[in-house]
Amino acid sequence: MKPVSLSFAEFRSCHLLLGIALALCFNRVSCTTNETDRLALLAFKAGIFEDPFRVLSSWNDSIGFCQWYGVICGRRHQRVTVLDLRSQGLFGSISPHIGNLSFLGEMWLQNNSFNQEIPPQLGGCAAYNELTGEIPRELGSLLKIREFALDRNNLTGSMPSSIGNLSSLEILFLSENNLSGSIPQVLGHLKNLQFIGFAANRVSGTIPSSLLNLSSLTQFDARSNQIQGTLPASIGLKLPDLADFSIFGNQLQGPIPPSISNCTKLDILQLGDNRFSGKVPSLENLYNLSWLQILRNQLGSGEPEDLNFLCSLTNNSKLRYVGISRNKFGGVLPICVGNLSSTLMAFDVRKNQISGKIPEEIGNFANVEVLYMNLNKLSGVIPSNLGNLRNLSKLLLSDNNLGGTIPSSLGNLSKLIYLFLDGNNFHGQIPPPLSNCLSLNWLDLSNNNLSGVIPSQLMSLSSLTIILNLSQNHLTGVLPPEVGNLRTLTALDISNNLLVGEIPSSLGDCTSLTSLRMGGNFFHGLIPQSIRSLGGIEELDLSCNNLSGQIPEFLTVFRSLKLLNLSYNNFEGVLPREGVFRNATGTSIFGNNKLCGGLSEFHLPNCISKSFKSRKINLVILSTSVILGVLGIALILAFVYLCWLKKTVMEPVSSSRDDSCPNVSYGTLLKATDGFSSTNLIGAGSFGSIYRGVLEVSETTVAVKVLHLVYHGALKSFNVEKRH
């Protein structure tokens, strides 16, 4: 066996633990019962590797262990009865020697880090080898313990079956750890158990039938585990005192047992996020129920009677929350919902198959704060008396078939924070009284048929800090300059409307914007320079408008900008290459035919510099001048030649020659030769062509020679012919 090298400090720790272990082994021979507790506490201390608040510094022989921090002893026997070290940031493991605290009645160790095995540097110390990140099975020796809390420690392993020995146990809290395995059958032996909680672990298997023997059980919290199977059909008959039954976030299936209605003391019933199916039974005997949560299951069948169970709750005077969303409930909301308790604070029926109208009786929910009815098939109009729900803070009616106009009475909801009406068929104008909702953070009216102008009062609602979405409507007019009052708004979407005019410069005052969508409108003019103030912008969409001018350089310094869409506008000039323009996948500039340059991925033509353009223009002017000059000289020469030819051809030979030339215009020659037609071509040489023509006035036949002055020597040839 390879020898282990230990430092002096590590040797002392090992020596201390070995001494404690030997003393505990011979406890009956050499130790008093009080000494057993002291040594057990020292063993517990030895398993702690980090003590950030130094609460265990008092655990030494300078004072008696009953005065140590977190330790309470009984007056009669001076034995440890309470160990309370909750939320002290202790880092280490639970020593199995804690099981020797035979008088311990309460142990509160929650919210620490008792999940660590022995550090590698102490691996050679035999006394440490028994320390792990699990619950020691030796805790099953604490026969007098009544309250046992180890939640929020990231403990591993499974619940030890030795827990079944704790016959006095009333409270067992093991939530928010990393426990696995199944629920021990032996828990059914704990006849005094009232509270059991092991939520947020990885416990699997089924709910053991032995738990139905715990007639004293008032709280069963097994949320967020991996428990399977079905609920026992007789659960309501065997657990009459059950007040809190929370098993949401598991893999349970089958129906909800009708016997659950016999748990008349139920205050909290949370069955959500499982696979329960079928109809919800009558809950008419649950007079004390305040919290009903059955969301995210497969309950209901899309039939008209699916929601009848809601009427069985109308005799309950304590109901505060009803959550039945994300199921398969069909039919219409029964009118009886208006008789639910006046204490109701949240009503969540979203994402079902509920059809029909919103009952006006919902306006009786005097104290409701949350009303979620979105993602259904609701039709009709919004009842105007919803404006009477003065405590309402969240109203979600989006993605239904609702129509009509948005009632102005919603402006009475002064506590409203979220208003989602998107994805419906609302028409008419946006009611200006919505600006009276002075707490409104999020307003979504998108995907409707709203028309008219955007109320300037709405743009002055400074409480809008999250999202203002008016997209996919038929809004007209300009974007009110009051938009600059939305200084803390995060996202503004007015895309795909009929808005006109220029982008108001006041938009630059909305310095908190991270998303700005204005595409699909008729905005024109330049991108205002004030937009440079939007330094935190991440998404900017100005596509499909009539914007023009050059793309501002300040867009290149927006370090947070990830998506930029300038497509289908009239931008011109050089496309920048820095900042977001280096990302061809995050930048779109299609449909701007006057842009040039940029990265090759944009497939734009190369830009022509101003100096090159100037030279090109000068060359064009020069070429035109040369061509015109040459053409002029050719015509003059042709005319001179015509004069000479007339003398030699048309005049009779005489000793006294008349040197005068007839005044013949170019138009006359053009007409005489039929536009210098090829049919009148009578000869061609190196320097010109000769055409036959008939002068209209005198009907004289003439020959017209047109010189090709672009050839070197043509003018010299003309002079030679003239002399002859």
Side-chain angles (χ1 to χ4, degrees):
M1 183 175 179
K2 185 177 179 180
V4 177
S5 175
L6 296 176
S7 67
F8 178 71
E10 293 166 347
F11 176 78
R12 288 186 62 188
S13 297
C14 289
H15 185 268
L16 173 62
L17 281 178
L18 287 173
I20 293 171
L22 288 173
L24 291 173
C25 289
F26 297 102
N27 177 56
R28 293 183 180 180
V29 177
S30 59
C31 298
T32 66
T33 54
N34 299 56
E35 186 67 6
T36 301
D37 286 4
R38 188 180 73 86
L39 294 176
L41 292 174
L42 289 176
F44 176 83
K45 178 182 179 180
I48 305 301
F49 312 132
E50 291 185 17
D51 177 13
F53 303 117
R54 299 186 58 78
V55 295
L56 301 183
S57 60
S58 64
W59 288 30
N60 55 62
D61 292 335
S62 63
I63 55 176
F65 66 84
C66 289
Q67 282 74 49
W68 291 356
Y69 183 90
V71 176
I72 299 177
C73 294
R75 294 181 180 180
R76 181 178 178 184
H77 299 293
Q78 289 295 296
R79 302 294 302 276
V80 178
T81 58
V82 177
L83 180 61
D84 187 355
L85 293 171
R86 71 186 86 184
S87 304
Q88 296 300 326
L90 300 177
F91 186 93
S93 297
I94 300 174
S95 170
H97 295 296
I98 205 74
N100 290 324
L101 298 174
S102 55
F103 277 72
L104 193 64
E106 301 178 25
M107 183 166 65
W108 305 95
L109 299 178
Q110 64 266 40
N111 201 25
N112 285 290
S113 296
F114 295 120
N115 60 336
Q116 301 301 314
E117 298 183 1
I118 180 69
Q121 65 269 25
L122 300 181
C125 179
Y128 277 115
N129 292 339
E130 58 195 2
L131 299 178
T132 67
E134 301 180 359
I135 300 174
R137 63 180 181 275
E138 287 80 3
L139 295 185
S141 301
L142 302 175
L143 301 182
K144 293 188 177 183
I145 196 163
R146 301 182 311 278
E147 302 177 8
F148 182 9
L150 282 173
D151 39 322
R152 296 190 298 279
N153 272 296
N154 281 326
L155 291 163
T156 59
S158 59
M159 287 184 274
S161 59
S162 61
I163 290 179
N165 300 330
L166 307 179
S167 57
S168 300
L169 194 62
E170 299 174 0
I171 297 175
L172 177 60
F173 291 152
L174 300 173
S175 298
E176 298 183 52
N177 282 291
N178 230 347
L179 299 174
S180 56
S182 59
I183 305 171
Q185 283 277 355
V186 294
L187 288 181
H189 300 162
L190 306 179
K191 301 298 183 181
N192 295 305
L193 193 61
Q194 299 176 24
F195 300 91
I196 179 170
F198 52 91
N201 279 284
R202 295 185 292 114
V203 176
S204 57
T206 61
I207 297 176
S209 58
S210 62
L211 285 181
L212 299 181
N213 299 328
L214 303 178
S215 59
S216 60
L217 192 65
T218 61
Q219 177 178 318
F220 183 79
D221 187 0
R223 295 168 293 152
S224 302
N225 278 284
Q226 301 169 16
I227 302 172
Q228 302 172 342
T230 61
L231 288 180
S234 60
I235 186 171
L237 302 175
K238 297 295 185 70
L239 302 174
D241 292 332
L242 195 61
D244 181 352
F245 188 52
S246 299
I247 55 172
F248 78 81
N250 281 283
Q251 301 170 20
L252 291 156
Q253 56 187 355
I256 298 175
S259 67
I260 199 74
S261 188
N262 291 90
C263 298
T264 56
K265 294 183 180 180
L266 262 180
D267 175 31
I268 298 174
L269 179 60
Q270 299 191 100
L271 308 179
D273 206 2
N274 279 283
R275 300 171 186 170
F276 291 115
S277 58
K279 293 184 178 180
V280 179
S282 172
L283 305 174
E284 60 182 343
N285 295 328
L286 303 184
Y287 304 114
N288 295 294
L289 192 65
S290 69
W291 197 275
L292 174 63
Q293 190 252 58
I294 55 175
L295 50 81
R296 287 195 293 272
N297 279 289
Q298 300 171 21
L299 296 164
S301 56
E303 299 299 325
E305 66 274 10
D306 281 348
L307 298 173
N308 287 349
F309 72 93
L310 291 174
C311 295
S312 68
L313 294 169
T314 55
N315 292 328
N316 186 308
S317 61
K318 300 180 180 180
L319 200 60
R320 294 185 295 114
Y321 172 81
V322 173
I324 65 172
S325 63
R326 295 179 173 88
N327 279 286
K328 298 180 180 179
F329 294 121
V332 300
L333 283 170
I335 295 176
C336 67
V337 297
N339 296 325
L340 291 176
S341 174
S342 60
T343 60
L344 190 67
M345 299 177 64
F347 188 65
D348 182 2
V349 299
R350 60 186 154 173
K351 204 170 185 181
N352 280 288
Q353 302 171 28
I354 303 173
S355 58
K357 297 181 179 180
I358 300 174
E360 290 188 6
E361 287 74 12
I362 285 184
N364 297 334
F365 291 170
N367 292 297
V368 74
E369 297 178 4
V370 174
L371 189 56
Y372 292 162
M373 306 176 71
N374 50 310
L375 293 162
N376 279 288
K377 300 177 181 179
L378 296 169
S379 57
V381 300
I382 299 177
S384 59
N385 63 354
L386 290 190
N388 298 332
L389 306 179
R390 298 303 178 95
N391 292 315
L392 194 62
S393 63
K394 298 178 182 179
L395 176 59
L396 274 62
L397 298 175
S398 54
D399 296 300
N400 280 287
N401 296 317
L402 297 168
T405 59
I406 299 174
S408 298
S409 61
L410 296 183
N412 298 330
L413 304 177
S414 59
K415 296 182 180 179
L416 197 63
I417 298 174
Y418 294 168
L419 177 58
F420 292 1
L421 302 179
D422 51 297
N424 284 285
N425 298 310
F426 295 117
H427 63 264
Q429 296 186 342
I430 300 173
L434 285 181
S435 61
N436 296 329
C437 301
L438 300 180
S439 300
L440 199 60
N441 293 159
W442 191 331
L443 176 61
D444 194 340
L445 304 179
S446 63
N447 289 281
N448 281 288
N449 295 312
L450 298 172
S451 58
V453 299
I454 300 175
S456 59
Q457 302 97 313
L458 190 64
M459 296 291 102
S460 300
L461 193 57
S462 59
S463 63
L464 286 169
T465 58
I466 303 177
I467 292 177
L468 174 58
N469 192 347
L470 306 177
S471 65
Q472 302 288 340
N473 280 288
H474 306 297
L475 300 174
T476 56
V478 300
L479 177 61
E482 287 82 2
V483 68
N485 294 320
L486 305 177
R487 290 179 173 83
T488 57
L489 186 66
T490 301
L492 175 63
D493 191 347
I494 54 173
S495 59
N496 296 303
N497 279 286
L498 304 172
L499 299 172
V500 298
E502 297 184 351
I503 298 175
S505 59
S506 59
L507 193 59
D509 294 331
C510 303
T511 53
S512 296
L513 280 177
T514 60
S515 176
L516 176 58
R517 297 180 179 179
M518 303 178 68
N521 283 285
F522 297 96
F523 291 114
H524 66 264
L526 306 177
I527 298 177
Q529 288 294 314
S530 62
I531 299 296
R532 69 170 59 247
S533 301
L534 308 182
I537 199 77
E538 298 176 5
E539 179 183 12
L540 178 59
D541 185 357
L542 301 175
S543 62
C544 301
N545 280 289
N546 294 319
L547 299 171
S548 58
Q550 294 188 338
I551 295 175
E553 285 289 336
F554 62 74
L555 293 178
T556 64
V557 299
F558 284 173
R559 301 306 177 193
S560 301
L561 190 57
K562 299 179 179 65
L563 295 173
L564 175 64
N565 193 349
L566 303 176
S567 296
Y568 300 104
N569 279 285
N570 298 312
F571 293 116
E572 61 185 28
V574 181
L575 182 70
R577 287 175 168 264
E578 301 300 321
V580 69
F581 297 98
R582 290 183 293 185
N583 180 9
T585 59
T587 302
S588 179
I589 47 88
F590 296 111
N592 290 280
N593 298 326
K594 297 179 182 180
L595 287 176
C596 63
L599 299 179
S600 59
E601 290 89 338
F602 290 112
H603 305 291
L604 294 176
N606 293 329
C607 296
I608 301 174
S609 65
K610 292 183 178 180
S611 59
F612 182 80
K613 285 184 177 180
S614 177
R615 290 196 300 272
K616 185 175 181 181
I617 291 173
N618 290 336
L619 287 173
V620 170
I621 294 174
L622 180 61
S623 299
T624 304
S625 301
V626 170
I627 292 172
L628 292 176
V630 169
L631 182 59
I633 294 174
L635 291 176
I636 293 172
L637 292 177
F639 176 72
V640 173
Y641 179 77
L642 180 62
C643 291
W644 171 80
L645 188 63
K646 183 178 180 181
K647 286 185 177 183
T648 57
V649 176
M650 297 175 58
E651 291 183 354
V653 179
S654 168
S655 57
S656 60
R657 299 177 55 181
D658 186 1
D659 294 334
S660 64
C661 287
N663 187 13
V664 181
S665 67
Y666 172 75
T668 301
L669 295 176
L670 189 65
K671 188 174 183 180
T673 59
D674 194 18
F676 298 104
S677 172
S678 59
T679 57
N680 290 324
L681 182 66
I682 58 177
S686 300
F687 304 111
S689 300
I690 301 174
Y691 296 87
R692 177 182 178 278
V694 178
L695 297 178
E696 184 178 14
V697 177
S698 60
E699 295 184 355
T700 303
T701 300
V702 295
V704 181
K705 186 172 184 178
V706 179
L707 296 178
H708 300 163
L709 294 180
V710 293
Y711 293 105
H712 182 69
L715 186 58
K716 182 178 180 181
S717 172
F718 170 75
N719 292 329
V720 171
E721 291 185 16
K722 183 179 179 181
R723 286 195 299 269
H724 288 81

